[in-house]
Amino acid sequence: MKKLITTSVFAFAIFVVFGTGIVYAQNNDRIQTLIDRVQTLQSQVFEQGANSNDGSALDVQTATCPDLDKDLSIGDTGESVRKLQKFLNNHGFTVAGSGPGSSGQETTYFGPATQQAVRQFQKQYSEVVLAPLGLSGPTGVWGNSSQSKAEDVCKSGNKTDTEVSTKTSGELSSFSSAEDFRSYIENSRGGHSASFGASSFSPSRSVGATGNDMETTALQSQSLSDAAGDAESGDRPDRFSQTNVQEQGIDEPDILKTDGEHIFFSDAVNDRTPDRRRMSPTAGEDANPDIQPPNQEKLRIIDALPPENAQEIANIKETGDLLLSDNTLVVLADDQLIGIDVTEQSNPAISWREDLADDQRVHTARLKDGQIQLVTKTNTDRSNPCPIPLQDGLTVGCTDVLHPEYPVNAEVTYHVSVVSPGNGEISHKLSLVGARDATIYVSDSGMYVGYTKHADRKELVLSVLSESDVVDDSLVRRLKKVTRLNISEKAKQKTAFANYIKENKRELTTTHLVKIDVSAGVVAESGEGPGELLNQFSLDASDGNLRVATTVGELFGQAQSANDVYVLDESLEITGSVKDLGLTERIYSVRFMEDTAYVVTFRQIDPFYVLDLSDPQDPEMRGEVKLPGYSSYLHPLPNDRVVGIGEEDGQVKATLFDVSNKDNPSVLSSYILDEYRSDAVENHHAFLADREHEVIFVPGQKGGYILSYAGSELTLKKSVADVQARRALYINDTLYVVGDDKIVAVDETDWTRTRTLEF
C-alpha cells in the first residue's frame, strides 16, 4: 500500500471525503509537503479516473510514429507520455483494454499501467534493449535503448518483429524473474489499477501456465434435488440428503457428511462461513484414531441405522471440513490434508497425510468426478516473492506464476491443484496472483476465480479535485491558500465527490475474473468488469455463458450504489446486461436457475427481483416485489417457489415467494423465528430442504426449526430446543439434528423424537 500521510498533512483530502473540516497547517514545511504529495497523487489519477485527452486528435501517421526520444519513468506527466501510450497501444503493448489509457483515450500520466506496457515492450526486445546494458529483466523506464528500438519498430511499419498479438488489459502472463515479480507488486500497491470500462467486462484470451418440544439443530443441507441412494440391498437406505451445494454433482467441503448409513461430523469448525474457516490443530504423524478423552474437538462417526439405536462407533481428533469420496473421508484442515479410510467405519485409519508449507493455507476445494480440486494460497513475500514453497518440498518458480498484464492487488498467490482422494497424490496445476479472499465458483465448464479491486481513497479524492470546477490547474496555488478555503468551496467539494462516485461508479470498483481449465492446468479465459461480487452465488455458468451479479458504487460510505447482472459468452465478452437494480442498495443474495435469476437487494427494504435471461443478448428485469427485511440465501423449491432465509428487524426470517409469473412475483408467506442469528443466514451448508416431506430446516441459537411449506404457507412443524445445533440431514424418513454435544433423531412421519444420542 502507499505510504500513509499524517492526518494533519492530508487533512484537505480527508475533508473532501468526509466533510469533517480542515486541520489548519501551522508549519510552512508541512504545507509544502502537502502540496508536493497531492501534486504527485493528482498526476497519478489522470491515467485512472480522468481522460486528459484535449480533443486535438493526431493524424494516423503521427499516432503510429510519434516523437519518443524523451526519457520517461513512473510519475512523469506531459504530452510525451500521451505519445508513448499511443505508440504502445498501436504496437501490441496495450496500456489499458478500455477507459483512460486505452486506444483513443491516452492520457498524459506515466503510471503503473504505462510502466507495465513498457516492461512488456522491453521483454519482447530484450536482446537489443536489455542485454547490451547487462540487464536480465525489464525496468519499465523509457530510456535510450527503448527509444532506439521504438524508432526501428515505428519505421518498419510492423506491430512488432515477431507478430505480437494485441493484448487487452485482462490477459495473463508469467513473471520473468523475482525482480519482475517485485516490480509488479510495487506497481499493484499504487491504488486503483487501469480502468476496466464503464459498461462491460473487458475480455481476453490468456496463456496457460473450483410446535411441540423445542429442539435445536445445526443442519446439513441437501442439493437442489434429493440425493437418494438407490437401494442395492435391504440394508441400503431408500434416500438420504447430501450437502447443500451450488452445483449438482460438485460437492463442497462441510463439517457434516453421510453415506446413507453413517454420519461423519467434525465439531471443530466454529467459523461457519464458506471458505473462511478456523481449524483446530491436528494430530501428529503418529496419531492414533482411538477414542479420545471427552470435551475435545473430534471427528465423530455415527452408525445412524436404525435411528432408534443410533450410536457413536468411533471418533478421531483430526478435524476440519470434510469431503467423502467412496470409502475415503478427506479432512481439510487449515494447513494440512488428511485421508481417512472408513471402509470399516468402526475402525477408521489414517491412510495419508499431506502437510502444507509453512505459509500455505487451504482456501477452498471441490469434489468433482472423483477428484478434489484444491485451491490453496500463500501470502506474498514482497521482498522475496518467489520461488514459493508448497507441500512435499515442491516449489513454484517465478516463471510459473501468472498475473494480469495490468497491476492488480498481489496480496496472495493462489495455487490450483488436483488431489486424488484415495492416495493423497497432489498434482499442482497452476499459480496466479490475486487479492485476498477470492471468490471461487466451480461448474462443469471450469473453475472461476474472481477478486475485487477498489479505487484508492487518496487517488479518488484527487480524481474528484482534478475533474471538478473546485480545483483545476491552479491546484498548487489553491493549496498554498488552504487556510483561507471558505464554506461555499467546502460544500461544492463535498457535492463534487458524491457526483464523481455516481458518474464513475462502474470504474471505481472492479472484479477480475479468471476461468481455469483445471484438468489441463491452463487459464482458458480472463477478463474484468464493473462491481463487486457477493459470494460464489454471484457467478453461474449455463449453456456456454457466464452470468455475473455485482454491486457497483458502494464506496467509502457513499450511497451511490446500484446492482448489475451481466451475461458473458465463452470468451468472457459481454452479450447483455441488466443495470441499476436497487439504487442506493447492495446485493444481499442471488440465485441463478436455468434461464432465470433471482436477486435480493437491501438497505431499508428488500426488493426481490426476477430477471429473464433466456436471451443472452437481451436479458431483462421482468418483475419485483418489495417486503421488509432481507434474504441472504435463496433456495429453489418445486412448483415455482423460492424460499429466502434472512432477517427482519434483527430476527431470523423465512420467506416463501411465488415466481410462477415472472412479471408479478409475490410473497406467499413468511415466518419470523424467535432468533437473532442463524447459521443458514451466513452459510448455505446450514440449510436443509426435504422435498418429499415439503419441509425446510433452519438452525438458530435457541433451537432448530422444521418449517413446512405445504399449501403455499410456512408453518412450524417441529422445533428442537435442547441441543446446540450445527447441521441436519435426513436418511429415509428420519431427520437427524446434529449438535456439538448430541444428535436428535426425529421421525418425519409423525414428528416425534426417536432417539437422543449424547456425545
Side-chain angles (χ1 to χ4, degrees):
M1 299 299 293
K2 292 182 176 179
K3 294 181 180 178
L4 295 177
I5 301 174
T6 62
T7 302
S8 57
V9 171
F10 201 60
F12 182 76
I14 293 176
F15 162 75
V16 178
V17 179
F18 300 107
T20 58
I22 295 176
V23 178
Y24 294 95
Q26 302 296 324
N27 187 292
N28 289 335
D29 291 339
R30 299 182 76 182
I31 295 177
Q32 187 60 49
T33 299
L34 172 62
I35 293 169
D36 294 340
R37 294 276 181 100
V38 175
Q39 189 173 25
T40 299
L41 289 170
Q42 184 193 29
S43 64
Q44 290 178 2
V45 301
F46 289 158
E47 182 177 30
Q48 328 267 341
N51 180 8
S52 60
N53 194 329
D54 59 7
S56 55
L58 301 174
D59 59 39
V60 175
Q61 182 62 26
T62 302
T64 304
C65 300
D67 182 7
L68 300 171
D69 60 356
K70 182 177 180 180
D71 292 349
L72 297 169
S73 61
I74 193 163
D76 286 340
T77 60
E79 193 61 33
S80 295
V81 176
R82 193 201 311 277
K83 292 178 180 180
L84 173 59
Q85 290 183 0
K86 285 181 178 292
F87 167 78
L88 293 168
N89 282 335
N90 280 288
H91 290 84
F93 305 97
T94 306
V95 176
S98 61
S102 63
S103 181
Q105 298 188 55
E106 288 82 0
T107 74
T108 58
Y109 172 64
F110 193 121
T114 306
Q115 184 187 54
Q116 188 67 16
V118 169
R119 293 172 69 246
Q120 293 302 316
F121 174 85
Q122 293 172 335
K123 288 168 66 175
Q124 178 64 36
Y125 299 112
S126 59
E127 291 186 4
V128 295
V129 175
L130 302 176
L133 302 177
L135 298 173
S136 59
T139 64
V141 175
W142 192 251
N144 290 335
S145 60
S146 297
Q147 296 163 16
S148 177
K149 183 58 185 176
E151 184 178 357
D152 292 342
V153 171
C154 187
K155 288 179 179 179
S156 71
N158 298 324
K159 281 195 171 183
T160 67
D161 292 346
T162 56
E163 296 185 358
V164 175
S165 60
T166 300
K167 294 177 169 65
T168 70
S169 62
E171 187 171 352
L172 274 71
S173 60
S174 58
F175 295 112
S176 62
S177 63
E179 180 58 37
D180 192 14
F181 201 159
R182 279 192 291 269
S183 177
Y184 188 91
I185 293 169
E186 289 304 312
N187 290 340
S188 73
R189 297 170 69 183
H192 185 52
S193 63
S195 170
F196 296 160
S199 61
S200 66
F201 281 77
S202 173
S204 69
R205 294 191 178 276
S206 62
V207 298
T210 111
N212 298 336
D213 295 337
M214 260 307 270
E215 309 175 352
T216 289
T217 163
L219 74 70
Q220 149 104 18
S221 52
Q222 73 182 23
S223 35
L224 299 185
S225 61
D226 293 344
D230 294 331
E232 297 179 359
S233 69
D235 296 331
R236 293 290 296 170
D238 293 329
R239 68 186 194 103
F240 57 91
S241 62
Q242 294 182 344
T243 302
N244 183 35
V245 297
Q246 183 177 6
E247 294 282 344
Q248 284 185 308
I250 302 177
D251 197 15
E252 301 175 10
D254 191 35
I255 59 175
L256 186 69
K257 298 291 176 181
T258 182
D259 61 3
E261 300 177 47
H262 303 87
I263 296 171
F264 306 94
F265 174 54
S266 174
D267 62 6
V269 182
N270 297 317
D271 184 354
R272 293 177 285 275
T273 302
D275 295 345
R276 290 168 175 83
R277 42 175 109 53
R278 291 192 296 269
M279 304 295 181
S280 66
T282 53
E285 286 293 338
D286 58 350
N288 189 333
D290 292 336
I291 294 178
Q292 304 297 324
N295 301 322
Q296 284 192 1
E297 294 175 337
K298 306 179 185 70
L299 193 166
R300 304 178 187 277
I301 301 178
I302 311 300
D303 186 352
L305 298 179
E308 59 271 17
N309 295 325
Q311 60 180 326
E312 181 177 352
I313 57 176
N315 61 60
I316 309 171
K317 63 180 179 180
E318 314 292 344
T319 58
D321 278 351
L322 309 175
L323 286 170
L324 180 62
S325 177
D326 296 327
N327 290 320
T328 300
L329 187 67
V330 178
V331 181
L332 289 85
D334 191 34
D335 57 359
Q336 65 177 199
L337 311 177
I338 304 131
I340 301 174
D341 185 348
V342 291
T343 303
E344 186 179 351
Q345 292 83 9
S346 61
N347 187 28
I350 295 177
S351 56
W352 57 266
R353 182 192 302 270
E354 286 289 346
D355 292 317
L356 302 183
D358 288 344
D359 193 39
Q360 184 185 10
R361 296 292 181 267
V362 173
H363 184 68
T364 191
R366 298 291 187 271
L367 178 62
K368 179 183 177 185
D369 299 329
Q371 297 289 303
I372 296 174
Q373 296 185 4
L374 174 70
V375 180
T376 62
K377 60 186 177 183
T378 53
N379 292 323
T380 300
D381 184 341
R382 296 187 179 277
S383 60
N384 187 28
C386 56
I388 304 170
L390 299 181
Q391 71 285 337
D392 288 335
L394 175 69
T395 59
V396 177
C398 302
T399 58
D400 295 322
V401 179
L402 296 175
H403 64 89
E405 290 300 322
Y406 60 89
V408 299
N409 279 345
E411 299 169 306
V412 299
T413 302
Y414 291 98
H415 312 280
V416 180
S417 304
V418 173
V419 183
S420 175
N423 58 20
E425 181 178 336
I426 301 179
S427 175
H428 174 259
K429 293 299 182 178
L430 60 82
S431 297
L432 69 161
V433 298
R436 200 176 306 278
D437 293 328
T439 297
I440 307 294
Y441 162 65
V442 178
S443 71
D444 287 334
S445 63
M447 174 184 290
Y448 295 84
V449 181
Y451 41 85
T452 301
K453 175 68 175 177
H454 295 286
D456 181 83
R457 183 187 299 271
K458 291 173 285 187
E459 292 191 359
L460 174 60
V461 169
L462 289 169
S463 293
V464 177
L465 299 181
S466 66
E467 293 195 4
S468 70
D469 59 359
V470 178
V471 179
D472 49 25
D473 293 337
S474 61
L475 174 63
V476 175
R477 293 193 302 274
R478 287 173 179 256
L479 287 176
K480 289 180 179 178
K481 301 176 181 179
V482 66
T483 57
R484 286 176 278 173
L485 194 66
N486 61 44
I487 298 301
S488 63
E489 286 175 320
K490 295 178 185 179
K492 288 175 68 177
Q493 290 164 8
K494 188 174 181 181
T495 301
F497 184 79
N499 289 340
Y500 183 88
I501 291 181
K502 183 176 182 179
E503 294 169 2
N504 297 274
K505 58 190 173 188
R506 289 183 173 85
E507 296 183 354
L508 297 175
T509 301
T510 49
T511 290
H512 183 76
L513 289 173
V514 178
K515 179 182 179 181
I516 300 173
D517 183 337
V518 176
S519 60
V522 298
V523 172
E525 305 287 347
S526 69
E528 58 283 329
E532 180 177 7
L533 303 174
L534 173 67
N535 54 31
Q536 67 189 63
F537 289 95
S538 298
L539 301 171
D540 179 79
S542 176
D543 296 329
N545 297 312
L546 180 69
R547 289 90 71 91
V548 184
T550 65
T551 295
V552 300
E554 191 173 66
L555 201 64
F556 308 140
Q558 297 295 309
Q560 307 290 343
S561 61
N563 304 280
D564 302 343
V565 174
Y566 297 93
V567 181
L568 289 73
D569 63 15
E570 291 181 342
S571 298
L572 296 187
E573 293 188 35
I574 191 165
T575 62
S577 64
V578 177
K579 298 179 182 178
D580 291 326
L581 301 172
L583 295 178
T584 75
E585 301 178 340
R586 70 157 297 127
I587 290 176
Y588 265 60
S589 60
V590 59
R591 196 66 186 257
F592 295 95
M593 290 301 300
E594 298 179 347
D595 62 357
T596 304
Y598 306 105
V599 180
V600 169
T601 63
F602 177 76
R603 190 174 298 275
Q604 298 294 335
I605 58 173
D606 171 5
F608 173 86
Y609 296 96
V610 179
L611 279 63
D612 186 346
L613 308 179
S614 57
D615 182 357
Q617 309 293 327
D618 187 27
E620 59 178 330
M621 196 276 284
R622 292 280 297 273
E624 68 174 293
V625 58
K626 296 181 179 180
L627 63 155
Y630 67 86
S631 297
S632 61
Y633 175 67
L634 299 173
H635 192 89
L637 296 173
N639 302 318
D640 295 316
R641 303 293 191 257
V642 172
V643 64
I645 306 298
E647 295 182 0
E648 179 182 343
D649 295 331
Q651 291 184 288
V652 178
K653 175 184 179 181
T655 304
L656 186 64
F657 297 95
D658 180 355
V659 293
S660 57
N661 183 349
K662 292 183 179 180
D663 296 318
N664 187 30
S666 62
V667 175
L668 293 174
S669 179
S670 62
Y671 195 97
I672 297 178
L673 304 177
D674 184 21
E675 292 282 356
Y676 295 99
R677 181 184 177 277
S678 170
D679 288 353
V681 174
E682 305 169 2
N683 185 344
H684 61 282
H685 298 152
F687 174 89
L688 176 68
D690 184 349
R691 297 189 177 194
E692 182 164 317
H693 292 280
E694 297 184 291
V695 295
I696 62 173
F697 178 84
V698 181
Q701 291 185 306
K702 299 178 181 178
Y705 304 87
I706 303 167
L707 301 176
S708 169
Y709 58 84
S712 300
E713 184 179 3
L714 291 174
T715 58
L716 182 65
K717 273 289 185 182
K718 182 73 172 179
S719 56
V720 185
D722 57 346
V723 55
Q724 183 61 50
R726 302 288 297 279
R727 298 287 191 272
L729 59 84
Y730 62 79
I731 301 175
N732 292 329
D733 290 323
T734 299
L735 185 73
Y736 295 84
V737 176
V738 182
D740 285 332
D741 60 353
K742 68 183 68 174
I743 291 180
V744 176
V746 177
D747 188 334
E748 292 185 281
T749 62
D750 59 11
W751 303 108
T752 60
R753 285 198 190 198
T754 58
R755 172 77 163 137
T756 299
L757 171 65
E758 296 188 358
F759 299 144

